[in-house]
Amino acid sequence: MWWNLSDYWLGVFFAILSGISNNIGTILQKKVVNRVSNEEKFMRSLIKNPLWLLGLIFQMVIGVILFLLAQNYIGPTLIPGLMASGLIVLAIGSVYILKEHLGVTEIFGIGLMIIATCLIGLSNMDINVDLINFLDLGLIIRISIFTAIFLFLSIIFEILQKKEKYPGISAALISGLMLALSNFWISPLLGVIIQVLNNNALLIELVIFVIACIILIFTNIFALAKINQAFKFGQASNMIVIQQFPILISPPFYYLSVYLLIPPNILSTPLMLFGTIFVIISTYLLAKRQAQIEKIK
């Protein structure tokens, strides 16, 4: 895919704004969560709060629109790295708005996450859905297996959360797993949506479309609920980075093992590898400190 220079930088601009918008929404939501007492019905209290709803608009309306605009201009490859710039807004907001404290370990972890998302974005391991045959039985089986694994992991962390085994970390990871599934199922949706809208879709394409819509709605709602639960147990800056762990490490897996694609150039694999390693290190640093905080509480 070829872009002219103006379109490319417009896409970069939209992606950065989307990351900033998402993290502004996170700050607003965390500020409200801090005020909600444990005795109140948690989600009902949040939904009734105008500031929390404003945060939701920043995330689910403004952020999504900007994300789709960026997707139109530069595709999916660079967007995660560019949106990571929003972590800077989150870090500053945590200190100056939410009155949270960022230690050296957390600052280093956030910095590593920003570097990691940039490396993953620059790997150019993007997926052109126009070249994917979603009617292939082998691909459908691999998609089903990938989805089942992520749902199974979500159930495991849900059990751990109910048993109060680091509930903040568990909730954040569930949220990340749900968003990773959402990101994954966008491709099958885009792969069949034209046929569905043109009323010439085969039965299997209709089934894929319906399943994709259900998964996208369910995962995004559940992810939102879980990240707000995570905010009850830890700092927004920590919880969001932990949430990013499944989101950022899943693309290499479905790129190579679900779609069976070959990396586009010799640098793609090393960039993706180092990016993934940095994600793991970053998440470990933040999760380790979060576990200590939860033990104290």
Side-chain angles (χ1 to χ4, degrees):
M1 180 177 181
W2 296 93
W3 312 288
N4 62 50
L5 193 58
S6 61
D7 283 349
Y8 175 80
W9 288 111
L10 194 58
V12 168
F13 179 68
F14 284 136
I16 292 173
L17 284 184
S18 179
I20 292 173
S21 179
N22 283 336
N23 284 283
I24 289 175
T26 296
I27 292 169
L28 295 176
Q29 289 179 334
K30 172 61 172 171
K31 192 172 183 67
V32 175
V33 169
N34 284 350
R35 300 172 180 171
V36 177
S37 66
N38 294 330
E39 291 75 22
E40 295 180 82
K41 293 186 177 180
F42 185 65
M43 287 306 299
R44 185 177 298 179
S45 300
L46 296 182
I47 294 172
K48 291 181 179 179
N49 190 291
L51 187 60
W52 189 88
L53 291 174
L54 179 61
L56 183 66
I57 291 172
F58 269 103
Q59 288 184 322
M60 304 301 292
V61 179
I62 299 174
V64 169
I65 291 173
L66 291 168
F67 173 83
L68 293 174
L69 288 171
Q71 190 96 344
N72 180 60
Y73 285 110
I74 60 176
T77 303
L78 298 175
I79 292 176
L82 295 169
M83 289 183 65
S85 59
L87 290 174
I88 300 173
V89 175
L90 180 64
I92 295 173
S94 294
V95 174
Y96 293 102
I97 298 177
L98 303 177
K99 309 302 181 184
E100 295 182 344
H101 174 68
L102 289 176
V104 175
T105 300
E106 293 165 308
I107 293 172
F108 182 65
I110 290 172
L112 271 184
M113 182 64 76
I114 292 173
I115 294 172
T117 49
C118 289
L119 291 177
I120 292 172
L122 291 172
S123 69
N124 288 316
M125 294 175 70
D126 59 336
I127 298 171
N128 186 347
V129 295
D130 294 333
L131 303 178
I132 303 295
N133 179 17
F134 288 100
L135 302 182
D136 178 70
L137 179 60
L139 177 60
I140 293 174
I141 292 174
R142 293 192 298 273
I143 288 175
S144 302
I145 293 173
F146 180 86
T147 303
I149 290 173
F150 270 58
L151 290 175
F152 175 75
L153 290 173
S154 299
I155 293 172
I156 294 297
F157 285 116
E158 179 71 19
I159 293 172
L160 291 176
Q161 184 187 1
K162 289 184 181 302
K163 291 185 175 181
E164 297 187 350
K165 297 290 186 179
Y166 309 132
I169 295 174
S170 296
L173 286 173
I174 294 170
S175 178
L177 287 165
M178 291 293 99
L179 290 177
L181 268 182
S182 175
N183 292 342
F184 173 75
W185 272 90
I186 287 175
S187 293
L189 177 68
L190 294 177
V192 301
I193 193 170
I194 298 299
Q195 289 79 5
V196 173
L197 294 178
N198 289 336
N199 292 320
N200 60 0
L202 301 175
L203 177 60
I204 186 61
E205 290 174 322
L206 286 173
V207 171
I208 292 173
F209 176 78
V210 171
I211 292 175
C213 289
I214 293 172
I215 288 178
L216 289 171
I217 294 171
F218 170 80
T219 53
N220 280 280
I221 293 175
F222 204 62
L224 179 64
K226 283 298 175 181
I227 196 59
N228 277 279
Q229 287 179 15
F231 288 163
K232 296 195 316 184
F233 301 100
Q235 298 183 174
S237 50
N238 286 3
M239 294 296 97
I240 289 299
V241 177
I242 293 170
Q243 179 199 49
Q244 292 299 306
F245 178 65
I247 297 171
L248 290 172
I249 67 168
S250 57
F253 288 103
Y254 59 71
Y255 185 96
L256 298 170
S257 61
V258 177
Y259 292 108
L260 304 180
L261 297 174
I262 299 173
N265 59 67
I266 195 172
L267 292 176
S268 295
T269 301
L271 286 171
M272 183 63 75
L273 176 62
F274 281 107
T276 303
I277 290 173
F278 287 168
V279 167
I280 294 172
I281 295 173
S282 172
T283 305
Y284 170 76
L285 292 174
L286 292 166
K288 183 179 180 182
R289 187 176 188 278
Q290 182 59 32
Q292 294 171 347
I293 293 174
E294 291 182 12
K295 283 182 179 179
I296 294 173
K297 293 183 177 182

